[in-house]
Amino acid sequence: MNVDREHIFKIKTEAQFNKLALEVFNFQMRNIPVYQEFVQHLNPNWSSIKTYKVIPFLPIEFFKTHELIAPNKTAEIIFSSSGTTGTSTSKHFVQDVSYYENSYQQSFELFYGSASEYCFLALLPNYLEREGSSLIYMIDDLIKTSQHPESAFLLYDHELLFNKLEKLRKQNQKTVLIGVTYALLDFIEAYQIHFPELIIMETGGMKGRRKEMIREELHQTLCKGFGVKHIHSEYGMTELLSQAYSKRDGIFECPPWMKVMIRDVNDPLTYLEQNKTGGINVIDLTNINSCSFIATQDLGKCYNDNTFEVLGRFDNSDIRGCNLLIS
């Protein structure tokens, strides 16, 4: 039995989330052998689990070493992480890419309104220069949805980007500029602009191009360079089909079908109370055909209003993915 995707995108309450999480968990225990084997080692009585809070989380490293997909099923698309020289990359075998499309379309609308009202500019050179980026797939679709003549991917043409931004500013056009951190910094070193209504969405990471900066310093620099009050961020990764968004100060909020929990770094089966720093576990119910319960290598803390903050990474982790800034 497949889980009804319509129910996933209609979640409004904790009880609904718990019900769907248990349905997804049981579905993956029947259909994803890697996850099934992992869970059975931890909890042979897994069938008695009645709350998502005790569902085992698969270490994210499994996406580097195993194909998380049901036997005899083929992937419609394979997303891969960027990695760095000498490191292995994660691969997400996506059986049905429409789950991803539904997730980012509805999530963007939830936090920002209709994508058709925006012009999207993407300053993501390192992502464009490789294949398999889920972020590029998402932004490409949002650009097509916007149908704005100025929407575009840009590489290193800072003058073209500046001219586009000036034109959009004068037109009072709603605009999102999504960029990898080092590329946004490169741009404002060449050009300064005052565009208070512009949404700057940084995806994090210097990718070895620049010295890492603490978030407060980085956001202050970007605010000054673009003439905006706040910097937005997107928290997503190859292994997920959903994203959390931050509209200011690095505080993220999840869509209703995604949840973040904080585990004790010394006891991964124990969860920490709010305002305590630990490892970030993510439940992404749109990951139906791979694994929805993932223990990431990011460090963070949760707050009383169901928001969370990303504080860095475990020391022995590879540097990759979105929003890996140290604060």
Side-chain angles (χ1 to χ4, degrees), residues 213-225:
M213 301 168 64
I214 62 170
R215 187 184 62 236
E216 289 81 0
E217 179 188 5
L218 169 66
H219 284 198
Q220 184 178 31
T221 302
L222 292 176
C223 283
K224 182 179 179 181

Side-chain angles (χ1 to χ4, degrees), residues 231-282:
I231 301 300
H232 299 234
S233 301
E234 180 253 7
Y235 180 76
M237 57 188 72
T238 299
E239 300 86 354
L240 301 177
L241 295 183
S242 295
Q243 310 79 33
Y245 287 101
S246 166
K247 292 187 176 182
R248 59 181 296 174
D249 303 327
I251 304 300
F252 290 91
E253 186 175 354
C254 294
W257 53 89
M258 178 183 178
K259 194 177 288 287
V260 162
M261 300 166 66
I262 304 299
R263 70 183 185 272
D264 189 319
V265 295
N266 297 312
D267 181 6
L269 299 182
T270 298
Y271 295 99
L272 301 178
E273 59 189 43
Q274 290 159 340
N275 298 303
K276 299 288 187 181
T277 300
I280 292 179
N281 283 4
V282 179

Side-chain angles (χ1 to χ4, degrees), residues 5-16:
R5 84 178 67 196
E6 292 304 314
H7 290 165
I8 289 174
F9 296 115
K10 291 179 180 178
I11 291 173
K12 295 187 182 301
T13 67
E14 178 81 355
Q16 290 173 335

Side-chain angles (χ1 to χ4, degrees), residues 259-309:
K259 194 177 288 287
V260 162
M261 300 166 66
I262 304 299
R263 70 183 185 272
D264 189 319
V265 295
N266 297 312
D267 181 6
L269 299 182
T270 298
Y271 295 99
L272 301 178
E273 59 189 43
Q274 290 159 340
N275 298 303
K276 299 288 187 181
T277 300
I280 292 179
N281 283 4
V282 179
I283 300 176
D284 180 5
L285 296 183
T286 60
N287 269 24
I288 288 176
N289 296 305
S290 56
C291 182
S292 290
F293 311 94
I294 300 173
T296 78
Q297 285 292 307
D298 294 330
L299 291 166
K301 61 174 68 173
C302 285
Y303 298 108
N304 294 331
D305 54 359
N306 292 320
T307 60
F308 70 97
E309 188 174 5

